[in-house]
Amino acid sequence: MNMKNYDVIIVGTGVGGCFTALHLPEDKKVLMITKSQLEESDSFLAQGGICVLRDENDFDSFFEDTLRAGHYKNKKESVEIMINSSRETIDELIKFGVDFENKDGELLYTREGAHSKPRILYHEDVTGKEITQKLLAQVKKRKNIEILEYTTMVDIITKENKCIGVVIKKDEEITPVFAENIVLATGGIGGIYENSTNFPHLTGDSLAICKNHGVKLKDISYIQIHPTSLYSKKPGRKFLVSESVRGEGALLYDKNFERFTDELIPRDKLTEKINAQMKKDNTNFVWLDMREIIKKGIDIEKRFPNIIKKCREEGYEPTKECIPVVPAQHYFMGGIDVDSNSQTSMKNLYAVGETSCNGVHGANRLASNSLLESLVFAKRVADHINSKNEKNEMAVEEIDLEKYKNLTKLFQDYKNLIFKEIEEDKIRKGEENE
Ligand SMILES: Cc1cc2nc3c(=O)[nH]c(=O)nc-3n(C[C@H](O)[C@H](O)[C@H](O)COP(=O)(O)OP(=O)(O)OC[C@H]3O[C@@H](n4cnc5c(N)ncnc54)[C@H](O)[C@@H]3O)c2cc1C
């Protein structure tokens, strides 16, 4: 591969990466890379939906729901930006061809845990797939955007506290690639955990790389465990049973098929309740009863086709029996510290989506806020890049590629570094709370 220069390099092709790319003008030469194939990002996995401000009267309650779920550790300015930009973001998605559930053109809203009212738009139970594939279709039409699959960022290249490029690995070849602006949209950290609903290749590489280059991280011990993944003895990614299932009325039972909690309390609280119940019952899971949704007159095969299919593949018939569920690592609220334009502490380096931390989610994310947050702040990255007047002279640096020869060790080091940082952040936060 020849060494190339770009205006913008975007690492990651989920909603964060795609929406950034789509807001860059067509005279900018853009490179997008993804570690795996295009369809393998967590953006494709989002089931429940995406939040939106329903009308002006909903602002206070949306704001309060987000803060209450986040234990009031949220950055209020970021929450305001997200909510105030939500309508225009949804309008844009619809313009890009995203099909949200509607009745005669009127959008339908569902509800999930810790929301005081229904304000979530959805597409069956595969909202993320619908949004991401429509965005990717638009990205592919743009002649100024080059996409490389199975291409891994192994490091960033810096010069005098400026980011000037990334080191990538493709087909066993290690190559430096230079750009004026670099956007990290590398998603979550589930891949470093044994039980997670995330794709295993999402191992938080950007965090370790940033740490090594002195780029600030924030709140990286804020990790969300989803209360309900489908219990399975099989290894690999755990299948999420969306919160909207409980939002539509499904109930949780202990080993004696008796309720033990309010199903719609925030995720972290519900996870604690389920873990305590499993300990008390000495079981590896609790039961989830979707038949309660049918009793409300809702056709669960139509509302949750993907979840029903998966349950059947695992040998359960949710229209007739309860299914076993267990908590699993799900989402990462902390990340690379960014301002409201998603700028990191290093010049020309941006971070967006789950790998970034702009403080929207505080200590715990409100359901269906992450797709929205990723999209809103992705547009702001592009707007910020577009607003820069200065034309940087393209910097090129001699790189010692020898140090990337043993990538297995390098990525193990990255993983160890992330766990170490998480533990240190926990200790710091514990001391602050004393
Ligand atoms: C099962 C599940 C259900 C969810 N449901 C919802 C929901 O209903 N509503 C909601 O709002 N949110 C939901 N979420 C969360 C939401 O999907 C994610 O937070 C969001 O999609 C993150 O988007 P992203 O663009 O930041 O990252 P991702 O979509 O995860 O994309 C990350 C990209 O970075 C690439 N990458 C990573 N490391 C490297 C590297 N070193 N080099 C090159 N490329 C790299 C990956 O290959 C990928 O392309 C859900 C998440 C999961 C796992």
Side-chain angles (χ1 to χ4, degrees):
M1 190 190 299
N2 293 324
M3 191 178 75
K4 280 189 180 171
N5 290 342
Y6 294 85
D7 293 306
V8 184
I9 295 173
I10 301 173
V11 186
T13 55
V15 288
C18 287
F19 218 52
T20 305
L22 288 172
H23 286 92
L24 292 168
E26 301 199 20
D27 61 357
K28 286 219 187 288
K29 209 167 132 198
V30 179
L31 173 67
M32 295 185 80
I33 66 167
T34 174
K35 218 173 175 181
S36 183
Q37 57 180 328
L38 285 177
E39 289 72 22
E40 293 198 338
S41 67
D42 272 8
S43 295
F44 268 85
L45 301 179
Q47 298 176 346
I50 178 167
C51 292
V52 66
L53 178 70
R54 282 190 68 159
D55 53 52
E56 292 312 312
N57 299 330
D58 185 31
F59 183 90
D60 289 347
S61 112
F62 191 170
F63 188 80
E64 178 57 23
D65 288 350
T66 302
L67 260 60
R68 197 183 323 111
H71 303 292
Y72 299 95
K73 303 275 186 199
N74 320 57
K75 189 169 166 191
K76 289 183 184 166
E77 182 200 347
S78 300
V79 181
E80 273 168 16
I81 291 173
M82 180 186 74
I83 297 177
N84 284 329
S85 312
S86 63
R87 262 291 149 197
E88 63 181 64
T89 304
I90 296 301
D91 289 346
E92 251 194 291
L93 289 180
I94 293 172
K95 233 173 49 208
F96 282 137
V98 174
D99 177 26
F100 290 114
E101 219 65 41
N102 64 83
K103 193 161 189 275
D104 306 326
E106 281 290 309
L107 291 169
L108 296 178
Y109 300 88
T110 186
R111 191 180 161 201
E112 294 186 64
H115 281 272
S116 53
K117 59 171 86 151
R119 62 167 76 85
I120 297 166
L121 296 169
Y122 61 100
H123 177 98
E124 296 173 356
D125 55 355
V126 287
T127 312
K129 181 176 172 203
E130 169 67 11
I131 294 175
T132 319
Q133 66 189 11
K134 293 281 163 65
L135 293 181
L136 273 169
Q138 296 292 327
V139 168
K140 285 179 192 167
K141 284 188 199 161
R142 299 277 171 99
K143 296 209 166 42
N144 61 316
I145 304 174
E146 183 182 341
I147 303 176
L148 293 178
E149 291 179 288
Y150 298 104
T151 304
T152 300
M153 168 186 66
V154 299
D155 206 351
I156 55 172
I157 308 167
T158 64
K159 192 177 183 178
E160 293 149 12
N161 199 36
K162 271 191 203 160
C163 188
I164 58 167
V166 294
V167 180
I168 62 174
K169 175 189 169 262
K170 183 167 176 59
D171 304 333
E172 302 311 314
E173 208 178 326
I174 307 276
T175 322
V177 193
F178 296 92
E180 285 198 38
N181 297 285
I182 286 84
V183 182
L184 303 174
T186 49
I189 58 168
I192 65 173
Y193 288 85
E194 214 169 291
N195 277 332
S196 172
T197 60
N198 295 187
F199 273 111
H201 67 280
L202 301 181
T203 45
D205 310 337
S206 292
L207 297 165
I209 291 171
C210 280
K211 181 71 196 169
N212 282 340
H213 286 271
V215 180
K216 273 201 214 151
L217 306 181
K218 189 170 167 3
D219 293 342
I220 87 157
S221 61
Y222 287 164
I223 294 158
Q224 188 173 72
I225 310 293
H226 197 287
T228 54
S229 74
L230 187 63
Y231 173 76
S232 170
K233 284 187 179 152
K234 292 180 197 155
R237 184 164 69 77
K238 298 287 171 266
F239 183 79
L240 180 88
V241 180
S242 165
E243 193 141 4
S244 52
V245 170
R246 281 174 283 118
E248 297 285 9
L251 297 178
L252 286 165
Y253 303 140
D254 65 10
K255 67 172 182 185
N256 299 318
F257 296 94
E258 279 168 18
R259 281 183 75 193
F260 59 91
T261 180
D262 170 359
E263 286 75 8
L264 293 178
I265 56 177
R267 287 181 178 178
D268 53 344
K269 301 274 173 233
L270 188 57
T271 296
E272 277 171 24
K273 291 265 183 195
I274 294 175
N275 282 336
Q277 195 60 45
M278 290 192 313
K279 202 164 168 208
K280 191 168 160 212
D281 290 351
N282 196 20
T283 51
N284 292 324
F285 54 80
V286 293
W287 295 110
L288 183 72
D289 191 354
M290 291 180 74
R291 294 168 300 182
E292 291 295 320
I293 310 175
I294 305 174
K295 285 187 197 158
K296 291 186 168 177
I298 297 169
D299 180 351
I300 59 169
E301 309 235 11
K302 197 158 168 264
R303 178 69 183 84
F304 300 111
N306 198 32
I307 294 173
I308 303 291
K309 184 168 159 259
K310 184 70 189 178
C311 290
R312 286 180 180 152
E313 279 167 19
E314 289 283 332
Y316 302 102
E317 181 44 66
T319 57
K320 296 203 170 75
E321 62 183 337
C322 296
I323 58 168
V325 291
V326 61
Q329 190 283 339
H330 180 55
Y331 186 76
F332 180 51
M333 278 78 62
I336 303 162
D337 192 4
V338 292
D339 67 11
S340 57
N341 291 317
S342 273
Q343 284 192 105
T344 69
S345 61
M346 178 174 277
K347 208 163 177 234
N348 302 336
L349 181 67
Y350 297 82
V352 72
E354 200 169 327
T355 197
S356 70
C357 179
N358 53 40
V360 156
H361 307 295
N364 180 51
R365 171 182 69 119
L366 179 69
S368 286
N369 260 352
S370 47
L371 287 173
L372 179 62
E373 180 244 301
S374 301
L375 292 164
V376 165
F377 287 88
K379 178 171 183 297
R380 293 176 75 87
V381 171
D383 288 348
H384 194 263
I385 291 174
N386 298 338
S387 73
K388 283 183 181 174
N389 288 325
E390 76 214 76
K391 179 93 184 140
N392 289 335
E393 210 172 292
M394 190 70 73
V396 177
E397 188 74 344
E398 272 301 311
I399 313 289
D400 171 19
L401 296 177
E402 238 351 87
K403 62 180 174 189
Y404 306 114
K405 280 284 181 269
N406 187 348
L407 285 185
T408 313
K409 180 173 180 312
L410 185 75
F411 279 88
Q412 184 59 46
D413 289 348
Y414 285 170
K415 182 173 158 177
N416 295 343
L417 180 58
I418 296 169
F419 277 128
K420 180 173 157 277
E421 288 299 311
I422 290 171
E423 285 315 308
E424 285 179 6
D425 192 50
K426 269 188 203 159
I427 293 167
R428 260 194 311 274
K429 289 196 162 27
E431 284 166 359
E432 279 163 22
N433 290 336
E434 269 170 19

